[in-house]
Amino acid sequence: MRRYAVTEFSRPLCMVVEDDPVPHGTEVVLDLQRCGVCHTDLHLREGHYDLGGGKRLSLAERGVGLPVTLGHEILGRIAAVGPEAGEAVGSLGRSVLAYPWIGCGACHRCLSGEENLCAAGRCLGVHRPGGYAEKVVVPHPRYLIDVEDLDPSAAATLACSGLTAYSALRKIAGDPAQDWLLLIGAGGLGQSALRLARALGHVRIVVADTAPAKRERALALGADRVLDPADAGARAELLAVETGLAAAIDFVGTTETARFALDGLRRGGRYVVVGMFGGEVTLSLPLLPLRALTLMGSYVGNLDELRDLVDLVRRHGLTLVETETVPLDQAEAAMRRLEAGAVAGRIVLSHRA
């Protein structure tokens, strides 16, 4: 089998050829059908996150060892199962979506169903080999979700892009039929969030992005208003909306987007940070209680949320983000396009249809 791995941080992916994996214990081997290309993959290839102020978070110090085969939006056909996988796997050849945000399985977070928050994660495409490969090993069948009836390219993106947007939306409070919601960033995540917010009953949605083409796309997808955060009048427009801005979800995560969101929130508003492009923000602490603001981060989502998301997509017939499918051997080229900002929705790698 071939896989495309980071063998040195800040260097292009390398193709590695090795023996096909043999499943042990509860493991399940998937023949790759699709794997989404995500901004997290860019951070992993570089080996760090930008924390702002000249500071970096080293991924090597966080347990990411080399080589690492990228790719966590994984959809494939069941090819082989370990002797302890049991009948829960179902039939060979079935198309399944893999939940990639796997924890240690033993800590309080894992036992309470929040493996994505485990401090000793074993995530596919991060700590374990991911989907930039012809075959992928999933440690247990409980992480597999049947998607036989869904478009494979669109369904693959649910494991991260869709799940991240859905989990962030689940964290905002208020009345979706009355309150205004701000989505910052109209790329793949923002587009997914816009469609999901409508399906979840949100009526008043404003989308902010500095790119005119992305604002136009957001309008075409049903945003009530679009704003350019760099526009001097954008903050005033947020402050003037009826009932005030109840919540903001930031899919970019820079100093500028944080300031834009925080300045626009009403009293009791909630700011949810998803994006990790880098930056920092200075807050006057007395204003937090005086304005009764809630600041929180949202990191992907848990397994139950992914199952709920797949059900929601199936019931509403949703396609969350436009996809472009390219061959697996174009993984490095796809990452370069994403890095250059030349991707409107989501690139999905394909090995077998």
Side-chain angles (χ1 to χ4, degrees):
M1 61 167 279
R2 296 174 302 158
R3 61 186 179 92
Y4 294 85
V6 177
T7 57
E8 182 180 351
F9 289 130
S10 300
R11 300 291 296 170
L13 300 178
C14 289
M15 185 181 75
V16 178
V17 179
E18 61 187 22
D19 291 339
D20 289 353
V22 176
H24 301 282
T26 61
E27 293 178 340
V28 180
V29 176
L30 304 182
D31 280 334
L32 183 77
Q33 289 180 276
R34 301 288 192 274
C35 183
V37 179
C38 176
H39 272 283
T40 297
D41 296 330
L42 296 178
H43 294 302
L44 287 164
R45 188 179 63 175
E46 291 304 306
H48 67 268
Y49 286 105
D50 180 1
L51 298 180
K55 300 185 290 291
R56 289 182 172 183
L57 175 65
S58 169
L59 294 177
E61 295 175 2
R62 298 287 296 240
V64 178
L66 297 179
V68 56
T69 303
L70 302 178
H72 47 269
E73 294 185 338
I74 302 163
L75 186 147
R77 294 192 185 279
I78 297 173
V81 300
E84 299 173 26
E87 297 180 358
V89 176
S91 59
L92 295 180
R94 183 166 57 98
S95 290
V96 291
L97 179 66
Y99 176 76
W101 312 110
I102 298 168
C104 69
C107 70
H108 173 71
R109 287 295 194 188
C110 289
L111 295 177
S112 64
E114 295 181 315
E115 289 194 56
N116 57 305
L117 302 181
C118 176
R122 302 177 297 143
C123 305
L124 300 177
V126 182
H127 308 97
R128 299 172 61 104
Y132 289 16
E134 292 176 327
K135 292 180 182 291
V136 182
V137 178
V138 180
H140 196 281
R142 69 170 173 271
Y143 300 116
L144 303 178
I145 300 173
D146 195 306
V147 290
E148 190 74 39
D149 58 328
L150 300 180
D151 173 79
S153 291
T157 68
L158 299 179
C160 178
S161 177
L163 176 60
T164 298
Y166 180 73
S167 185
L169 285 164
R170 293 269 299 256
K171 291 178 173 66
I172 61 175
D175 181 357
Q178 297 292 329
D179 291 334
W180 279 94
L181 167 66
L182 169 65
L183 304 176
I184 302 178
L189 275 173
Q191 292 175 35
S192 295
L194 179 55
R195 289 180 166 109
L196 284 170
R198 289 297 191 210
L200 292 170
H202 289 272
V203 174
R204 296 172 167 177
I205 304 173
V206 56
V207 175
D209 200 293
T210 56
K214 291 183 178 179
R215 294 198 299 272
E216 289 298 318
R217 180 62 176 159
L219 280 175
L221 292 175
D224 296 286
R225 301 187 188 186
V226 294
L227 296 174
D228 180 353
D231 190 320
R235 286 177 173 80
E237 190 168 340
L238 279 183
L239 291 170
V241 297
E242 181 186 354
T243 74
L245 180 64
I249 302 177
D250 187 351
F251 294 108
V252 181
T254 65
T255 300
E256 294 76 20
T257 57
R259 190 75 273 160
F260 181 71
L262 290 168
D263 287 350
L265 287 172
R266 72 186 186 189
R267 290 187 79 179
R270 184 165 296 198
Y271 173 49
V272 181
V273 186
V274 174
M276 295 185 286
F277 276 78
E280 54 189 0
V281 63
T282 301
L283 293 172
S284 175
L285 292 179
L287 289 179
L288 287 179
L290 286 172
R291 295 179 61 195
L293 296 178
T294 300
L295 281 63
M296 62 192 312
S298 184
Y299 180 67
V300 293
N302 61 46
L303 179 56
D304 284 342
E305 286 176 323
L306 182 56
R307 294 188 186 281
D308 291 344
L309 171 62
V310 172
D311 288 343
L312 182 70
V313 165
R314 186 175 281 125
R315 290 197 313 271
H316 289 265
L318 295 175
T319 298
L320 298 188
V321 64
E322 301 303 319
T323 59
E324 175 189 352
T325 305
V326 303
L328 176 62
D329 60 12
Q330 293 183 20
E332 174 62 29
M335 292 187 70
R336 291 184 181 183
R337 285 179 55 195
L338 182 62
E339 191 171 32
V343 180
R346 200 69 151 185
I347 295 180
V348 179
L349 304 176
S350 172
H351 176 45
R352 291 174 182 163

